[in-house]
Amino acid sequence: MEDESMDQLILVLNQLVLWVAAGAMMFGGVVPYVPQYRDIRRTQNAEGFSSYVCLVLLVANILRILFWFGRHFETPLLWQSIIMILTMLIMLRLCTDIRVASELNTKRRAFAATDSKDEEIKVPKKFFLDFDLKYFWLWSRFMDYLQCVLTFTAFAAYITYLFLDSSVFVETLGFLAVFTEAMLGTPQLYRNYQNKSTEGMSIKMVCMWTSGDTFKTGYFVLNQAPVQFSICGLLQVFVDIAILFQVYYYSRYPQKPVSHTVHTTSAKAL
C-alpha cells in the first residue's frame, strides 16, 4: 500500500515538473522583453532596442511553426513560437509609435501601396511595394510591419505547402528556423569586439540569456526534439557564454576607450 502511494506521489511530482518545464519553455523566452517594454514605455525612448531583433525572431518563429507541419515536435515549443511572435509584434507596435512621435521629419515611409488621407501620417501614394533597402524595416506605421510579416508568412507557407512531402526541404526549413534564432547574439558579440568594450550592458541580462538558453537546450535534449533544435541550442549557449566572457574580460582588462554609447535596454541587438 505504501509502495503504491509512493509511486503515485512520484508520478504526480513528475507530471508537475513536466508542466513547470513546459510553462517555462512557452513563456521563458519573452521574460527578458518584459522589463524592456516597461522601460521603453516609461522613458518614451526606444533607441536602445533594435527593431531588427524583432525581425530575426519573427522570421525564426514563423519558420519554426511551418516546420511543425512537416515534422511535429513538442507542443510547448509550438506555443513558444506563437507567444514569441505576439510579443515581438507588441514590441514593434510600441517602438514604432514612440519613434514616429519623436520624428521631426514629416515624410513617412510605407511598405505597401497606400492612399491614406490621414494628415498626421502623410504617407505618399504608391503604386507598388517600397523596396528601397535603405528604409527596409524602418517604416512609419505598425500596419506596414504587419503587412510585411503577413506577406512573408503567406509566401513561406505557400512554398512549404508545395514541398511539404520533401524530407530534405522540411529538415532544411527546421534548421533555418533554429539557426536564425541561434545567431541572434552574434551581432552583439561582434559589436563588443569592435568597440573593445561592453560598457552599458547589463550583466543580469546576459546571465538571463545564458540561463534561459541553457534551459531551453536541455529541454530539447531531454525531450528528444529534432536534432536541429539541440545543435543550434548549443550554438546559442556558446554565443551567450562568449558574450559573458566579454563582459568579464573588458571590465577586468579595459581596452582603449572609444566614443560609443551602449544602451542598457539593448538585447542581442542587431
Side-chain angles (χ1 to χ4, degrees), residues 105-124:
N105 185 6
T106 57
K107 183 179 179 180
R108 297 295 186 245
R109 298 181 291 270
F111 167 73
T114 180
D115 189 17
S116 174
K117 297 181 179 180
D118 190 341
E119 294 298 326
E120 295 183 359
I121 300 299
K122 295 183 180 179
V123 179

Side-chain angles (χ1 to χ4, degrees), residues 44 47 55 78 84 105 140 153 198 209 247 253 266:
Q44 292 295 295
E47 292 182 0
L55 174 61
L78 178 64
M84 182 60 76
N105 185 6
S140 303
T153 303
T198 56
W209 295 343
V247 173
Y253 306 101
S266 65

Side-chain angles (χ1 to χ4, degrees), residues 191-206:
R191 177 183 293 180
N192 294 342
Y193 173 76
Q194 278 189 317
N195 298 318
K196 306 300 182 184
S197 172
T198 56
E199 182 182 357
M201 285 194 66
S202 171
I203 186 65
K204 293 181 180 179
M205 181 64 70
V206 179

Side-chain angles (χ1 to χ4, degrees), residues 190-255:
Y190 182 67
R191 177 183 293 180
N192 294 342
Y193 173 76
Q194 278 189 317
N195 298 318
K196 306 300 182 184
S197 172
T198 56
E199 182 182 357
M201 285 194 66
S202 171
I203 186 65
K204 293 181 180 179
M205 181 64 70
V206 179
C207 290
M208 190 179 296
W209 295 343
T210 308
S211 60
D213 292 336
T214 301
F215 172 82
K216 179 173 65 177
T217 303
Y219 185 92
F220 292 159
V221 174
L222 293 177
N223 287 275
Q224 298 181 343
V227 66
Q228 298 98 322
F229 285 60
S230 300
I231 293 175
C232 291
L234 290 172
L235 178 60
Q236 195 167 6
V237 171
F238 173 78
V239 173
D240 291 339
I241 293 175
I243 295 175
L244 197 61
F245 174 77
Q246 285 181 325
V247 173
Y248 166 78
Y249 182 81
Y250 290 133
S251 61
R252 188 174 180 86
Y253 306 101
Q255 307 295 301

